[in-house]
Amino acid sequence: MIKFESSIEDFITSYLEAKGYDNMEFEENKHLYYDKDDKNDNGLFIYDIYSENEKKSFDFLVNEVKKLKGIHFKEINFVIIVRSIRQKYALPNNEEFENALSIFKDELKNLLEEKQSRNIKISYKFIPITADLSTNNIKPFDIKIKDRYRATQANPLVNPKTNGLVFTANLFDIVKLYDRIGDSLFNDNLRIGLGDKQDFLEVAPEITKTLKNNPEEFWFLNNGITIIVDEQALDLSSNNFLRLYSDTVTVEDVEKKELKISVINGAQTISAAGKFFFEDAKIKDANAIHKIKNDYLVLQDDASLNDLVKALLIEDYPETSKILDIKLKIQLIEFFQKDEEKDIKNTKKFIEELLDEYAIKQNEELISEHFLKKLIPNQLNVDRAEKQADVLLRVIYYSNQDEAFKMTNKITVALNRQKPMRMEDIALASQFVQNINYYNGLDKENAFSIIRRGEPESSDFKRHSLETVTKMLMIIAEKNPGKLGSYKLSRQLEEQKRKDDLIIFKEDSVFHGIFNDKSILHLDENGETKTSIKDFENSFNARYSFINSAIKMNNNINNEYLKNLRRQIRSEGRKKTSNLGGLFEEEFKQSFNDNEVKALNAILTYGSDYILVCWFYKCCLFTLEALEDKKKFIDKIIEGHIDFNPINFSSLDMIFENEYKSNISKGIKEGKLKYKEEFYKFLVELANRWEVSEFVKDRNKDDKYNKNAFKSPTSHTLVNEFLTRDLYHFFKLGDYKPSDTSKQTGLENNA
């Protein structure tokens, strides 16, 4: 269930591949990577492995960075690799580490254009390496529970063979499991721990508040945690703890980078608790001690020392007034001078010895706790929560892993329905998503994964939300951006059917075919897949292989071109609308009449999805060499039988190579300028198409240029007009002659 990175090398290599760095391979002791062939518009990737055993300094990286002086990077990504979740949470609070990091960031900023200095991105990556989990190092992991005889046994299921137990367990022990495994512990959960912006009911802050103030109430205030585990990796022989990862975990499991346990409900509880337990309490308490030293110990005169003793003890416990003598004051000064050693154990020992020395027996424990709260409140809170915070733990265990995923999905959906969820979360238990993610695990070309809410999307790493994937299918595969606003994923789920406990989307033009109604994992009685991997590969290449390229293109044109144009439109529009033509003077000379200005303004403001689909198909045609191939491809698009098999998506970044071969010797920069020029010309073409389109001809003059004109379930008509009239003309493909199958598109009257 739990997939691990096999090494730092695996992580770095996958990162470099995702960024498209050419001829880049992992090299030991190399920490800086960038594409030397693209120095003017490039990204720099840096990584470092954090070690607790050395005084942190980035001097060796600074020296390497200085060698790159003068190169302007578009962005800098610095990944700090840690060895535990504890380190991930504690490092940002480590003053020494942060100071060293700040100095290093200043060095990095010298490499950037001034306006881009904010693009230095610092992140922490925990990689549980399988080398750390070799057979010699697989140790049992124990979770303390109330007596075994207090557990509640569920009635077992026969098919699939599944059992369940409910325990009262120590929360901190479960968090320590998270510290060892990381976010991989949540691989089978529909959601991971959500950030503050998505935490609709402020669950995480409430968890922290309870752990801080009333850890003994946690069991009563929390819904609990559910784990699912292979019964061979679960030892129930002890009365006082559960044992996971027993010696029944085989060598093969480790070699497959897999351990058979997953949290399927409670990821947010564990994530929030981990942050509470692992943020460095000592560093937080150092601020309180620093304040005391500044308030009372700077002068070290008798009056200020008297005030210190009163603040720490006498104000709340007058019986301690008799210890106001010079010996105590000397002890306090010595104690605070050793504040780097302070923790609960030695602080408690100090106050207990102090009370014994002055023979104070009344309220001794209360006085001791009061003293601790004054000096180390955060450590004290964490220490109490470690011991007192219990949680309801459901353990579901199975004997057949091949069948377990069905039950996992059913349980996860059922449990998470009780919490704030979106339909997208439920849809992650669909046959479509399961197949897409499994196909991605086969390392097939153009594959991608669909992620959970709370995880970051990444076009580089080909990780997309279901909403984004659905949007691309609707806009590009269906050529119907106007219908997007009325297409609801929730409606799909309301009309869902189930097959083998998985959701099968309603058969429609967006979700259809074997990825929606068959399983890559489904085995027949002979152990063979009823549908071959080759069948899935053919279906994927024809139907879904465009997704990564389309998303990346959408991000690029929106961030690099359209955003800037819209901003200029708003600025120029306040002066004179006809000034719009001046926006393009740097790329090519262009003048517009009033209607063309309005059409271009409308397309840029409201028609970004139309821009994407038409531009995407135009770019795809540039990857095809023969005119006959271009014609076949575009005919299929128009007739609604789209097949992306002929398209070479890896060449999309260089689609206008034939257009600027005369400039290719001048480098990539010239090519990108040519791309920009062609894109701006295309925008004018699309605006002209809008102005004369049959699609909007019946709208009145004003309504033609507002956002409502772009919301139509028949918006494929405009796209088809662009394909048949503009692209056919651009590529000199002759005239489009609709076949019988195209009659359903309504084009026979427009061709």
Side-chain angles (χ1 to χ4, degrees):
M1 283 185 189
I2 297 173
K3 302 290 184 182
F4 292 101
E5 300 271 3
S6 62
S7 65
I8 302 292
E9 178 178 353
D10 281 358
F11 169 70
I12 304 265
T13 301
S14 65
Y15 187 97
L16 296 175
E17 289 177 354
K19 284 292 185 182
Y21 288 3
D22 294 332
N23 303 316
M24 283 286 180
E25 294 182 359
F26 175 80
E27 297 178 27
E28 194 171 356
N29 298 322
K30 182 178 179 180
H31 291 258
L32 279 67
Y33 292 87
Y34 68 100
D35 193 337
K36 295 180 181 179
D37 295 329
D38 189 12
K39 293 183 180 180
N40 294 314
D41 190 9
N42 197 3
L44 173 66
F45 169 60
I46 308 171
Y47 87 93
D48 185 36
I49 303 173
Y50 177 73
S51 173
E52 288 184 314
N53 299 323
E54 62 184 37
K55 187 175 181 180
K56 192 63 228 174
S57 170
F58 296 102
D59 289 346
F60 77 101
L61 286 178
V62 170
N63 292 330
E64 291 299 311
V65 169
K66 287 179 179 178
K67 297 176 184 178
L68 308 180
K69 185 74 174 179
I71 302 177
H72 287 178
F73 294 103
K74 184 178 179 181
E75 64 176 13
I76 292 182
N77 291 283
F78 184 19
V79 177
I80 300 165
I81 297 174
V82 297
R83 289 304 196 192
S84 66
I85 295 295
R86 183 187 295 271
Q87 282 187 354
K88 178 179 177 179
Y89 285 136
L91 275 184
N93 292 318
N94 185 312
E95 185 175 356
E96 180 185 0
F97 179 84
E98 282 296 296
N99 287 339
L101 185 59
S102 177
I103 293 171
F104 181 56
K105 286 170 67 176
D106 288 340
E107 293 286 343
L108 296 183
K109 288 181 180 181
N110 293 330
L111 297 175
L112 297 174
E113 298 176 18
E114 184 178 349
K115 64 181 180 180
Q116 293 176 321
S117 61
R118 63 183 181 276
N119 288 339
I120 299 175
K121 300 174 183 176
I122 308 293
S123 59
Y124 299 87
K125 172 73 175 177
F126 170 38
I127 303 178
I129 310 300
T130 50
D132 298 337
L133 301 167
S134 64
T135 50
N136 293 329
N137 291 327
I138 292 180
K139 299 175 182 178
F141 194 95
D142 296 339
I143 298 175
K144 290 191 291 291
I145 58 172
K146 298 299 182 185
D147 296 341
R148 174 75 172 77
Y149 68 84
R150 298 188 190 181
T152 300
Q153 175 81 49
N155 292 325
L157 300 177
V158 177
N159 185 25
K161 187 178 179 182
T162 309
N163 287 278
L165 289 164
V166 181
F167 301 93
T168 291
N170 178 260
L171 175 64
F172 183 58
D173 281 348
I174 299 174
V175 170
K176 285 190 292 184
L177 179 63
Y178 174 47
D179 186 38
R180 174 175 171 179
I181 294 174
D183 288 334
S184 297
L185 185 62
F186 310 137
N187 275 356
D188 290 331
N189 202 333
L190 292 186
R191 300 184 302 171
I192 61 171
L194 304 180
D196 291 340
K197 291 182 180 179
Q198 294 171 306
D199 195 358
F200 299 120
L201 296 183
E202 297 186 346
V203 177
E206 287 301 314
I207 287 173
T208 301
K209 183 178 178 181
T210 301
L211 290 173
K212 178 180 178 180
N213 300 322
N214 308 101
E216 68 283 355
E217 296 179 0
F218 195 87
W219 189 96
F220 299 92
L221 302 179
N222 186 267
N223 285 331
I225 295 167
T226 302
I227 64 173
I228 189 163
V229 59
D230 187 323
E231 67 178 357
Q232 293 188 33
L234 176 65
D235 183 349
L236 295 170
S237 61
S238 172
N239 188 46
N240 298 314
F241 57 82
L242 301 177
R243 174 158 288 179
L244 303 171
Y245 302 164
S246 66
D247 56 8
T248 56
V249 176
T250 64
V251 176
E252 288 76 16
D253 291 328
V254 175
E255 289 176 347
K256 289 189 296 185
K257 309 172 194 175
E258 183 173 304
L259 291 175
K260 300 173 182 178
I261 178 175
S262 182
V263 170
I264 60 173
N265 185 251
Q268 192 172 5
T269 294
I270 296 172
S271 298
K275 188 170 175 58
F276 170 80
F277 284 118
F278 294 147
E279 281 187 330
D280 201 322
K282 289 185 181 181
I283 293 176
K284 289 183 176 181
D285 289 335
N287 294 329
I289 293 174
H290 182 71
K291 186 176 186 307
I292 288 175
K293 291 170 71 173
N294 283 340
D295 289 347
Y296 300 106
L297 297 180
V298 173
L299 299 177
Q300 293 189 14
D301 58 17
D302 195 58
S304 62
L305 290 174
N306 285 345
D307 290 341
L308 173 60
V309 176
K310 290 176 182 178
L312 292 177
L313 296 170
I314 298 174
E315 285 180 357
D316 294 284
Y317 295 95
E319 61 267 34
T320 61
S321 59
K322 63 181 180 180
I323 63 175
L324 266 176
D325 62 25
I326 191 62
K327 182 180 178 181
L328 168 65
K329 296 167 188 176
I330 293 173
Q331 286 177 304
L332 284 174
I333 292 172
E334 292 176 349
F335 177 75
F336 281 105
Q337 286 174 341
K338 298 177 181 178
D339 59 7
E340 71 278 0
E341 300 294 333
K342 286 193 175 49
D343 58 26
I344 290 176
K345 184 181 293 185
N346 60 34
T347 305
K348 191 173 183 180
K349 181 180 179 182
F350 170 79
I351 186 63
E352 287 175 348
E353 290 177 351
L354 188 70
L355 296 176
D356 286 342
E357 184 174 351
Y358 289 89
I360 298 175
K361 300 298 183 182
Q362 185 179 3
N363 296 323
E364 183 178 6
E365 290 187 7
L366 293 175
I367 294 171
S368 176
E369 184 174 351
H370 172 76
F371 187 83
L372 290 171
K373 284 182 178 179
K374 291 279 188 177
L375 292 183
I376 49 172
N378 292 288
Q379 292 179 70
L380 186 63
N381 290 335
V382 169
D383 185 61
R384 287 177 58 229
E386 287 180 5
K387 297 180 176 65
Q388 297 180 16
D390 290 329
V391 67
L392 190 72
L393 177 65
R394 297 172 62 178
V395 179
I396 298 169
Y397 56 101
Y398 56 86
S399 57
N400 186 331
Q401 187 176 7
D402 291 332
E403 294 293 322
F405 81 97
K406 298 178 184 178
M407 181 57 65
T408 300
N409 281 305
K410 180 183 284 189
I411 296 169
T412 306
V413 169
L415 292 178
N416 281 286
R417 279 186 187 277
Q418 303 167 22
K419 299 181 179 181
M421 295 190 75
R422 297 175 183 169
M423 284 299 182
E424 183 183 5
D425 299 324
I426 302 295
L428 291 176
S430 66
Q431 184 72 79
F432 173 78
V433 173
Q434 295 286 319
N435 281 333
I436 287 291
N437 286 342
Y438 188 86
Y439 185 84
N440 180 65
L442 299 176
D443 295 326
K444 296 290 186 179
E445 190 174 11
N446 297 319
F448 58 90
S449 62
I450 295 177
I451 59 174
R452 298 161 292 181
R453 181 161 57 99
E455 291 183 292
E457 293 193 62
S458 170
S459 58
D460 287 330
F461 285 97
K462 302 169 185 176
R463 294 158 48 86
H464 317 303
S465 70
L466 182 58
E467 287 179 342
T468 299
V469 171
T470 303
K471 178 180 178 180
M472 290 300 114
L473 289 171
M474 180 67 69
I475 291 173
I476 291 179
E478 300 309 310
K479 306 172 297 178
N480 217 338
K483 188 179 176 182
L484 187 65
S486 61
Y487 185 88
K488 302 297 183 184
L489 193 59
S490 58
R491 194 171 303 152
Q492 272 280 353
L493 294 173
E494 289 168 1
E495 301 176 22
Q496 70 194 356
K497 61 178 179 178
R498 289 183 176 272
K499 182 178 180 181
D500 295 329
D501 298 323
L502 290 173
I503 294 170
I504 307 297
F505 287 123
K506 175 188 174 186
E507 187 73 12
D508 69 358
S509 56
V510 176
F511 300 103
H512 65 81
I514 62 175
F515 269 84
N516 187 44
D517 62 12
K518 297 184 185 299
S519 172
I520 298 180
L521 293 173
H522 192 58
L523 305 178
D524 63 16
E525 60 276 5
N526 297 319
E528 300 291 337
T529 56
K530 293 185 177 181
T531 306
S532 70
I533 296 297
K534 190 64 177 176
D535 292 332
F536 277 94
E537 187 172 10
N538 291 337
S539 176
F540 182 89
N541 289 339
R543 180 67 183 173
Y544 305 110
S545 56
F546 76 93
I547 291 289
N548 293 321
S549 296
I551 291 173
K552 191 170 185 178
M553 179 179 287
N554 185 49
N555 293 339
N556 287 342
I557 64 176
N558 270 295
N559 293 331
E560 294 191 25
Y561 302 123
L562 298 184
K563 180 188 285 187
N564 184 50
L565 286 174
R566 292 190 193 105
R567 183 165 54 247
Q568 293 184 66
I569 285 172
R570 287 194 296 270
S571 175
E572 294 292 339
R574 295 189 188 98
K575 303 173 186 175
K576 188 178 180 182
T577 311
S578 60
N579 287 348
L580 193 60
L583 298 179
F584 301 105
E585 285 183 1
E586 292 183 5
E587 313 303 330
F588 63 97
K589 296 293 183 181
Q590 181 73 38
S591 60
F592 304 98
N593 61 41
D594 288 343
N595 285 341
E596 287 173 332
V597 168
K598 291 179 180 179
L600 182 57
N601 194 355
I603 284 285
L604 289 171
T605 307
Y606 307 117
S608 60
D609 293 337
Y610 289 86
I611 291 172
L612 174 63
V613 59
C614 294
W615 179 243
F616 186 79
Y617 280 127
K618 185 171 184 177
C619 292
C620 284
L621 289 174
F622 272 101
T623 73
L624 301 174
E625 295 183 3
L627 289 179
E628 185 59 31
D629 292 337
K630 296 178 190 290
K631 190 174 187 307
K632 286 180 180 178
F633 181 67
I634 201 170
D635 284 351
K636 285 191 174 183
I637 296 171
I638 296 167
E639 295 169 9
H641 303 293
I642 301 172
D643 181 353
F644 289 99
N645 265 298
I647 303 303
N648 179 10
F649 293 107
S650 64
S651 68
L652 276 182
D653 289 337
M654 299 289 285
I655 55 171
F656 290 109
E657 182 176 352
N658 292 330
E659 293 292 307
Y660 63 84
K661 273 188 175 178
S662 60
N663 297 318
I664 200 68
S665 61
K666 299 178 182 178
I668 292 175
K669 186 175 181 180
E670 291 294 336
K672 291 192 174 184
L673 288 175
K674 186 65 179 178
Y675 181 100
K676 188 175 182 181
E677 179 180 335
E678 292 294 340
F679 180 71
Y680 283 166
K681 287 180 179 178
F682 154 79
L683 290 178
V684 176
E685 294 170 12
L686 194 60
N688 288 334
R689 168 56 48 209
W690 181 266
E691 183 63 21
V692 299
S693 173
E694 297 286 331
F695 175 59
V696 294
K697 71 175 183 177
D698 294 329
R699 290 184 175 273
N700 62 52
K701 188 174 181 180
D702 293 331
D703 193 37
K704 186 175 181 177
Y705 306 114
N706 66 31
K707 61 183 178 181
N708 292 325
F710 292 85
K711 299 177 181 179
S712 170
T714 59
S715 59
H716 64 275
T717 307
L718 173 69
V719 180
N720 280 338
E721 284 182 1
F722 177 81
L723 297 175
T724 57
R725 300 185 181 185
D726 296 271
L727 283 195
Y728 256 78
H729 173 73
F730 182 88
F731 287 102
K732 299 179 175 61
L733 300 178
D735 294 326
Y736 171 69
K737 297 178 181 179
S739 64
D740 292 339
T741 57
S742 69
K743 291 181 180 179
Q744 59 186 328
T745 68
L747 278 177
E748 62 275 11
N749 296 323
N750 297 327

